[in-house]
Amino acid sequence: MKAPTVLVVMLVVLVATVLLSMLLGRYPLSLADLQLYFSTHLLGQQSADIDISRMQVLENILMDIRLPRIVAALLIGASLSVAGVVFQSMFINPLVSPGVLGVLSGASFGAAVGMIAGKSWLIVQLGAFSCGLLAVTIALSLALINRGDRLLMLILGGIISGAMFTALLSVVKYLADPYEQLPAIVYWLMGGLSATDARTVLTVSLPMVAGILLLLALSGYLNVMSMGDEEARSLGVNVTLLRLIFIFLATIISALTVILGGIIGWVGLLIPHIARMMVGPDNRLLLPAAALVGATYLVIADDIARLLFSVEIPIGILTSLIGIPFFAFVLARTRKGWG
């Protein structure tokens, strides 16, 4: 099957997954319910037989609970997967993930500090976002002030920055109230979409979608940079400027995922390999494929997390349990995609 056809199939699967997810839940709905609600509210079709109380129930379930959660899963899955492809292509390393420059460690620390400093959820989200950017800034600064291979220095700077914020997070957890603050911090670090609300989703969706679209527009340059710095410069590419742009955009969308769902691991590492096996290493096809597969994957994972047991499982735990063995399986077959 040709790669563009594969993308179309992925899009169809994603749409079907979203529709199915809107029907699944503790209060099951039918396709007739979906048709009734959206034809009444979006298309303006009116009927004397419409049950007002039924419509109110549908609005609460669909617009207040399920749709914000599904959109959040779509955004997080697509963002982490696209960021993973960008970092793996830019560093020419299949084991790199969006957290390579310390953004997730920094965001975890910022969220934990926000939970201790105030009870406002906005403070927690701003703390996560700002400290995620700070961690990447530190990694970039360490790479700039040290001589040597720039890619190697960036990775080492990210390791140092990530380790520093991980240590600081341990300090915060040690000092947190063990009865209220510490459980909240631990639950945040496990990732989850149960606290997702429509306002937050709407606020962060614009920069996330814009970041993904810009990375898709620049995907051709990733092909050139994947050949190495010297080859890219010989083709007239400003490697330093493009690398900063890619890091900035990938960091922004990765940090914003933490605002929506906390720390959700393995998506940015696993999905790029699956997408690469399906459409090959050309980043012009690989990035949209990763976005579609990542979005579908996280919507399905969230369905399992909220429906498998009577108590919801943190989605970060589920993605780790799925990702670890599946990554081992994919790794043995990934050579084809990098060839």
Side-chain angles (χ1 to χ4, degrees):
M1 190 180 294
K2 294 183 178 179
T5 307
V6 174
L7 291 180
V8 174
V9 173
M10 289 177 181
L11 181 60
V12 172
V13 172
L14 176 60
V15 172
T17 304
V18 169
L19 287 176
L20 181 62
S21 299
M22 293 182 74
L23 303 179
L24 298 176
R26 303 298 176 197
Y27 191 100
L29 301 177
S30 65
L31 278 175
D33 291 325
L34 279 186
Q35 184 182 8
L36 172 66
Y37 178 80
F38 286 112
S39 62
T40 303
H41 283 76
L42 299 183
L43 303 179
Q45 297 179 5
Q46 299 292 333
S47 171
D49 298 331
I50 291 178
D51 185 342
I52 301 300
S53 60
R54 175 66 175 168
M55 292 300 294
Q56 187 61 48
V57 171
L58 290 177
E59 177 152 353
N60 290 338
I61 294 174
L62 292 173
M63 304 307 290
D64 296 337
I65 300 174
R66 291 186 190 170
L67 195 57
R69 187 171 181 140
I70 291 171
V71 174
L74 291 172
L75 290 171
I76 293 172
S79 297
L80 290 177
S81 302
V82 167
V85 171
V86 169
F87 282 124
Q88 289 179 7
S89 298
M90 193 170 55
F91 290 109
I92 321 175
N93 188 329
L95 298 179
V96 166
S97 68
V100 65
L101 297 181
V103 59
L104 299 183
S105 299
S108 302
F109 168 74
V113 171
M115 289 178 187
I116 290 182
K119 296 184 181 298
S120 170
W121 197 240
L122 180 62
I123 294 177
V124 175
Q125 293 170 329
L126 290 177
F129 183 69
S130 57
C131 287
L133 293 184
L134 177 62
V136 175
T137 303
I138 292 174
L140 289 174
S141 302
L142 289 173
L144 290 174
I145 62 177
N146 289 290
R147 295 180 179 179
D149 183 271
R150 286 299 178 202
L151 287 178
L152 181 60
M153 288 298 112
L154 270 174
I155 292 177
L156 292 177
I159 292 174
I160 294 171
S161 176
M164 182 184 73
F165 279 101
T166 300
L168 291 174
L169 175 63
S170 297
V171 174
V172 174
K173 290 165 70 176
Y174 181 76
L175 297 176
D177 175 10
Y179 298 103
E180 294 185 4
Q181 294 170 337
L182 185 57
I185 293 172
V186 172
Y187 189 77
W188 169 274
L189 295 177
M190 290 189 290
L193 300 177
S194 58
T196 303
D197 62 275
R199 177 180 294 180
T200 303
V201 171
L202 186 62
T203 302
V204 304
S205 61
L206 294 178
M208 291 178 83
V209 171
I212 292 173
L213 292 178
L214 284 172
L215 288 171
L216 292 180
L218 296 171
S219 57
Y221 289 105
L222 270 181
N223 285 342
V224 181
M225 295 180 69
S226 300
M227 296 187 294
D229 288 3
E230 294 304 323
E231 289 80 0
R233 288 193 180 94
S234 68
L235 294 173
V237 173
N238 188 333
V239 174
T240 303
L241 177 61
L242 274 175
R243 182 171 294 141
L244 288 176
I245 292 174
F246 280 122
I247 289 175
F248 176 75
L249 293 175
T251 298
I252 290 290
I253 61 176
S254 299
L256 289 173
T257 66
V258 182
I259 289 179
L260 283 178
I263 306 301
I264 300 176
W266 286 91
V267 178
L269 180 61
L270 174 67
I271 299 301
H273 289 282
I274 296 175
R276 194 173 286 109
M277 292 170 62
M278 298 174 78
V279 300
D282 186 345
N283 287 290
R284 293 169 297 180
L285 296 170
L286 179 56
L287 259 72
L292 293 171
V293 175
T296 306
Y297 171 70
L298 211 63
V299 171
I300 294 174
D302 184 52
D303 289 341
I304 297 173
R306 63 189 172 93
L307 296 174
L308 187 60
F309 299 110
S310 58
V311 178
E312 181 172 330
I313 310 169
I315 193 171
I317 294 178
L318 195 61
T319 56
S320 298
L321 289 175
I322 297 173
I324 293 170
F326 200 57
F327 183 68
F329 172 79
V330 169
L331 204 59
R333 293 160 176 78
T334 193
R335 184 180 298 276
K336 173 188 173 185
W338 280 90

